[in-house]
Amino acid sequence: MKVLVVGAGGREHALVAQLAQSAAAPELYCAPGNDGIGLQARLLPIAAEDVATLYDFARRESIDLTVVGPEAPLTLGIVDAFQSAGLRIVGPSRAAAALEGSKVFAKQVMRRCGVPTAEAHLCATPGEARQAAARMRAPLVVKADGLAAGKGAIICQDRRQAEEAIRRMMEEREFGAAGERLLVEEFLEGEEASFIALVDGETIAPLAPSQDHKPIGDGDRGPNTGGMGAYAPAPIVTRALAEAAMRQVMQPVVRGMAAAGSPFRGILYAGLMIKEGALRVLEFNVRFGDPEAQVILPLLDGDLLEVLMATAEGRLHTLPLKQRAASAVCVVMASGGYPGAYEKGRAISGLDEAGKVEGVTIYHAGTRRQGAAWLTNGGRVLGVTAVAPTFAEARRRAYAAAHCISWEGAQYRTDIGAKAERAG
Ligand code: AMP
Ligand code: GLY
């Protein structure tokens, strides 16, 4: 059995590490991967967005299953291409990937399906957007329609800031074509959580709900990043809220997409805003979160390869999907300067010692190997993940391991999972 994972970060390392434990003992490939992933999979020098070359490789090598990490190849139609050649792949078609690729499309689907979400105006010209912003009470959120590397949602405290955001997106075209249309949206208060499920077109199998930590600094201070850590299962998503997420969000959207002729297959990620026991959807992603995958996947009680095969083949209903009764915490270690400019090539020490801490797995996000040495090679460098019976113990283990690791300028938050520990 040959399995290809597409992508290069900590999420993809978590996928590869979990697939490596499968009873089927698959031959693992990763494109392009990183040197940490290279310890467990054969790396291919093919960019994640290079759909044509990935397709040629998968056909030539008769890859049995392809798992796509990031959104870009999905919105470029990698699933449509692979399926047209009878190649098994986990992910949505290009049309269904628009749930992430177009915020206007996602808002229209949510409206049609009655999914609770922020009020928003869909705007195609700067004039429309300015009028919408003038009519709405601040704070408000201006969002680029298309993919903008996580920078496309600007929270505006007043009308002046909103006009500035509209100008940058629509007139200066800071995000290119992604800013041709905008949402001018009501600001929602509350606490965010990630609700991620496997979907095979019909059956929805939810994984452990999780929480990311976007800002760089402790206490959620400073600029936003790709995610500085995560934990699961998030206590804020009570059993009642998880049921509500299924009933009010996942089921109507999956049914709605099927009824509209683009059934959703793959990983559906609802970004929820929770307030006073009620939820509203901020956004959809069509993939695992990063670093959410690093805490969700180790909690899966079962064979990930089997589960992903069932997702790709439309037979999720035949599987029991169980979660381990444990807590997982992932502390992301980043380069000094990140999320701004940072340097690469710093020597990393302490990896072996850190890996010996009980329950700890270190996922590589941006590393490079030089002989026996490991060097930093990205903004987010490592995801130090611990699984334990309680959040207190998972936090203790993750931080014990993180303390072993160092390089010049290394930074990480010290409060990842603190909220969960207090709740538990
Ligand atoms: P998005 O680009 O839609 O994924 O949003 C990115 C982030 O912006 C979210 O994770 C939230 O933290 C924030 N955000 C987006 N929309 C809203 C909203 N309507 N109200 C409050 N925060 C929001
Ligand atoms: N951790 C947020 C994301 O992957 O989009």
Short mmCIF file of all heavy atoms in Angstrom, two decimals, residues 3-37:
data_model
loop_
_atom_site.label_atom_id
_atom_site.label_comp_id
_atom_site.label_asym_id
_atom_site.label_seq_id
_atom_site.Cartn_x
_atom_site.Cartn_y
_atom_site.Cartn_z
N VAL A 3 1.04 5.41 0.17
CA VAL A 3 0.26 6.58 0.58
C VAL A 3 1.10 7.84 0.40
O VAL A 3 2.27 7.88 0.81
CB VAL A 3 -0.19 6.45 2.05
CG1 VAL A 3 -0.99 7.67 2.48
CG2 VAL A 3 -1.01 5.18 2.26
N LEU A 4 0.50 8.84 -0.22
CA LEU A 4 1.16 10.13 -0.46
C LEU A 4 0.49 11.21 0.38
O LEU A 4 -0.73 11.38 0.33
CB LEU A 4 1.06 10.49 -1.95
CG LEU A 4 1.42 11.91 -2.36
CD1 LEU A 4 2.88 12.23 -2.08
CD2 LEU A 4 1.11 12.14 -3.85
N VAL A 5 1.28 11.93 1.17
CA VAL A 5 0.77 13.09 1.91
C VAL A 5 1.31 14.34 1.22
O VAL A 5 2.51 14.44 0.94
CB VAL A 5 1.23 13.03 3.38
CG1 VAL A 5 0.85 14.32 4.12
CG2 VAL A 5 0.61 11.81 4.09
N VAL A 6 0.42 15.29 0.94
CA VAL A 6 0.81 16.52 0.25
C VAL A 6 0.88 17.66 1.27
O VAL A 6 -0.08 17.90 2.01
CB VAL A 6 -0.21 16.87 -0.86
CG1 VAL A 6 0.14 18.20 -1.52
CG2 VAL A 6 -0.26 15.76 -1.89
N GLY A 7 2.03 18.35 1.31
CA GLY A 7 2.21 19.47 2.23
C GLY A 7 3.57 19.39 2.90
O GLY A 7 4.33 18.44 2.66
N ALA A 8 3.87 20.36 3.76
CA ALA A 8 5.25 20.46 4.24
C ALA A 8 5.39 20.82 5.71
O ALA A 8 6.50 21.03 6.18
CB ALA A 8 6.00 21.49 3.41
N GLY A 9 4.29 20.92 6.45
CA GLY A 9 4.40 21.48 7.81
C GLY A 9 4.16 20.48 8.93
O GLY A 9 4.21 19.26 8.73
N GLY A 10 3.89 21.03 10.10
CA GLY A 10 3.64 20.21 11.28
C GLY A 10 2.41 19.33 11.12
O GLY A 10 2.38 18.19 11.58
N ARG A 11 1.38 19.88 10.48
CA ARG A 11 0.16 19.10 10.23
C ARG A 11 0.48 17.86 9.39
O ARG A 11 0.02 16.74 9.71
CB ARG A 11 -0.83 20.00 9.49
CG ARG A 11 -1.97 19.27 8.81
CD ARG A 11 -2.86 20.25 8.06
NE ARG A 11 -2.11 21.05 7.11
CZ ARG A 11 -2.47 22.26 6.68
NH1 ARG A 11 -3.60 22.81 7.09
NH2 ARG A 11 -1.72 22.93 5.83
N GLU A 12 1.29 18.04 8.37
CA GLU A 12 1.63 16.90 7.50
C GLU A 12 2.51 15.90 8.24
O GLU A 12 2.41 14.70 8.03
CB GLU A 12 2.30 17.41 6.22
CG GLU A 12 1.34 18.13 5.28
CD GLU A 12 0.91 19.52 5.73
OE1 GLU A 12 1.66 20.14 6.53
OE2 GLU A 12 -0.16 19.99 5.30
N HIS A 13 3.39 16.41 9.14
CA HIS A 13 4.19 15.47 9.92
C HIS A 13 3.28 14.63 10.83
O HIS A 13 3.47 13.42 10.98
CB HIS A 13 5.24 16.20 10.76
CG HIS A 13 6.29 15.28 11.31
ND1 HIS A 13 7.33 15.71 12.08
CD2 HIS A 13 6.45 13.93 11.20
CE1 HIS A 13 8.09 14.67 12.42
NE2 HIS A 13 7.57 13.58 11.90
N ALA A 14 2.27 15.28 11.42
CA ALA A 14 1.33 14.54 12.27
C ALA A 14 0.59 13.48 11.46
O ALA A 14 0.38 12.35 11.92
CB ALA A 14 0.35 15.50 12.94
N LEU A 15 0.21 13.82 10.23
CA LEU A 15 -0.46 12.84 9.37
C LEU A 15 0.46 11.66 9.06
O LEU A 15 0.07 10.50 9.21
CB LEU A 15 -0.91 13.50 8.05
CG LEU A 15 -2.16 14.37 8.13
CD1 LEU A 15 -2.27 15.28 6.90
CD2 LEU A 15 -3.42 13.50 8.26
N VAL A 16 1.69 11.98 8.67
CA VAL A 16 2.65 10.92 8.32
C VAL A 16 2.94 10.05 9.55
O VAL A 16 2.95 8.80 9.45
CB VAL A 16 3.95 11.55 7.76
CG1 VAL A 16 5.10 10.55 7.77
CG2 VAL A 16 3.72 12.07 6.34
N ALA A 17 3.15 10.68 10.71
CA ALA A 17 3.48 9.91 11.92
C ALA A 17 2.35 8.96 12.30
O ALA A 17 2.58 7.82 12.71
CB ALA A 17 3.78 10.87 13.07
N GLN A 18 1.11 9.43 12.12
CA GLN A 18 -0.04 8.60 12.48
C GLN A 18 -0.23 7.48 11.45
O GLN A 18 -0.55 6.35 11.80
CB GLN A 18 -1.28 9.50 12.56
CG GLN A 18 -2.28 9.10 13.60
CD GLN A 18 -1.74 9.16 15.01
OE1 GLN A 18 -0.84 9.95 15.30
NE2 GLN A 18 -2.25 8.31 15.88
N LEU A 19 -0.02 7.81 10.17
CA LEU A 19 -0.15 6.79 9.12
C LEU A 19 0.93 5.72 9.27
O LEU A 19 0.70 4.55 8.96
CB LEU A 19 -0.07 7.45 7.74
CG LEU A 19 -1.28 8.29 7.35
CD1 LEU A 19 -0.97 9.17 6.15
CD2 LEU A 19 -2.49 7.39 7.05
N ALA A 20 2.10 6.13 9.76
CA ALA A 20 3.20 5.18 9.92
C ALA A 20 2.85 4.10 10.94
O ALA A 20 3.45 3.02 10.94
CB ALA A 20 4.47 5.92 10.35
N GLN A 21 1.89 4.39 11.81
CA GLN A 21 1.49 3.41 12.83
C GLN A 21 0.42 2.44 12.33
O GLN A 21 -0.01 1.55 13.07
CB GLN A 21 0.96 4.13 14.07
CG GLN A 21 2.04 4.89 14.81
CD GLN A 21 1.47 5.72 15.95
OE1 GLN A 21 0.43 5.39 16.52
NE2 GLN A 21 2.14 6.80 16.28
N SER A 22 -0.03 2.62 11.10
CA SER A 22 -1.11 1.77 10.58
C SER A 22 -0.69 0.30 10.51
O SER A 22 0.45 -0.02 10.18
CB SER A 22 -1.51 2.25 9.20
OG SER A 22 -2.30 1.27 8.57
N ALA A 23 -1.64 -0.57 10.77
CA ALA A 23 -1.40 -2.01 10.69
C ALA A 23 -1.02 -2.43 9.27
O ALA A 23 -0.35 -3.43 9.06
CB ALA A 23 -2.65 -2.76 11.14
N ALA A 24 -1.44 -1.64 8.27
CA ALA A 24 -1.13 -1.98 6.88
C ALA A 24 0.31 -1.66 6.51
O ALA A 24 0.74 -1.98 5.40
CB ALA A 24 -2.08 -1.23 5.95
N ALA A 25 1.06 -1.04 7.42
CA ALA A 25 2.46 -0.67 7.19
C ALA A 25 2.67 -0.06 5.80
O ALA A 25 3.41 -0.61 4.97
CB ALA A 25 3.37 -1.88 7.38
N PRO A 26 2.01 1.07 5.52
CA PRO A 26 2.09 1.65 4.17
C PRO A 26 3.49 2.18 3.86
O PRO A 26 4.24 2.53 4.75
CB PRO A 26 1.09 2.80 4.22
CG PRO A 26 1.04 3.19 5.66
CD PRO A 26 1.22 1.92 6.44
N GLU A 27 3.78 2.22 2.55
CA GLU A 27 4.97 2.91 2.07
C GLU A 27 4.57 4.38 1.99
O GLU A 27 3.64 4.73 1.25
CB GLU A 27 5.25 2.43 0.65
CG GLU A 27 6.56 1.74 0.41
CD GLU A 27 6.60 1.28 -1.03
OE1 GLU A 27 6.06 0.18 -1.29
OE2 GLU A 27 7.10 2.02 -1.88
N LEU A 28 5.26 5.24 2.73
CA LEU A 28 4.82 6.64 2.82
C LEU A 28 5.67 7.56 1.98
O LEU A 28 6.90 7.46 1.97
CB LEU A 28 4.86 7.09 4.29
CG LEU A 28 3.84 6.42 5.21
CD1 LEU A 28 4.15 6.71 6.67
CD2 LEU A 28 2.44 6.89 4.86
N TYR A 29 4.99 8.49 1.29
CA TYR A 29 5.65 9.54 0.51
C TYR A 29 5.11 10.87 0.99
O TYR A 29 3.95 10.97 1.39
CB TYR A 29 5.32 9.40 -0.97
CG TYR A 29 5.79 8.10 -1.59
CD1 TYR A 29 5.03 6.94 -1.48
CD2 TYR A 29 7.00 8.05 -2.28
CE1 TYR A 29 5.45 5.75 -2.04
CE2 TYR A 29 7.43 6.85 -2.85
CZ TYR A 29 6.66 5.71 -2.73
OH TYR A 29 7.10 4.55 -3.29
N CYS A 30 5.93 11.92 0.92
CA CYS A 30 5.44 13.25 1.26
C CYS A 30 6.01 14.27 0.28
O CYS A 30 7.20 14.27 -0.01
CB CYS A 30 5.82 13.61 2.70
SG CYS A 30 5.03 15.13 3.28
N ALA A 31 5.11 15.12 -0.26
CA ALA A 31 5.53 16.13 -1.24
C ALA A 31 5.12 17.52 -0.77
O ALA A 31 3.93 17.74 -0.62
CB ALA A 31 4.88 15.83 -2.60
N PRO A 32 6.01 18.48 -0.54
CA PRO A 32 7.45 18.25 -0.55
C PRO A 32 7.98 17.80 0.81
O PRO A 32 9.11 17.36 0.89
CB PRO A 32 8.00 19.64 -0.89
CG PRO A 32 7.01 20.59 -0.29
CD PRO A 32 5.67 19.90 -0.38
N GLY A 33 7.19 17.92 1.88
CA GLY A 33 7.63 17.51 3.21
C GLY A 33 8.73 18.38 3.77
O GLY A 33 9.00 19.47 3.24
N ASN A 34 9.32 17.94 4.84
CA ASN A 34 10.51 18.60 5.40
C ASN A 34 11.40 17.49 5.96
O ASN A 34 10.99 16.32 6.01
CB ASN A 34 10.11 19.65 6.45
CG ASN A 34 9.40 19.05 7.65
OD1 ASN A 34 9.86 18.07 8.25
ND2 ASN A 34 8.25 19.62 8.01
N ASP A 35 12.61 17.86 6.39
CA ASP A 35 13.56 16.80 6.76
C ASP A 35 13.10 15.99 7.97
O ASP A 35 13.45 14.81 8.10
CB ASP A 35 14.95 17.40 7.00
CG ASP A 35 15.65 17.74 5.68
OD1 ASP A 35 15.14 17.31 4.62
OD2 ASP A 35 16.69 18.43 5.72
N GLY A 36 12.31 16.61 8.86
CA GLY A 36 11.77 15.85 10.00
C GLY A 36 10.80 14.77 9.50
O GLY A 36 10.84 13.62 9.94
N ILE A 37 9.94 15.16 8.56
CA ILE A 37 9.01 14.19 7.96
C ILE A 37 9.81 13.12 7.22
O ILE A 37 9.42 11.94 7.19
CB ILE A 37 8.04 14.91 6.99
CG1 ILE A 37 7.18 15.91 7.75
CG2 ILE A 37 7.18 13.91 6.24
CD1 ILE A 37 6.25 16.75 6.87
#
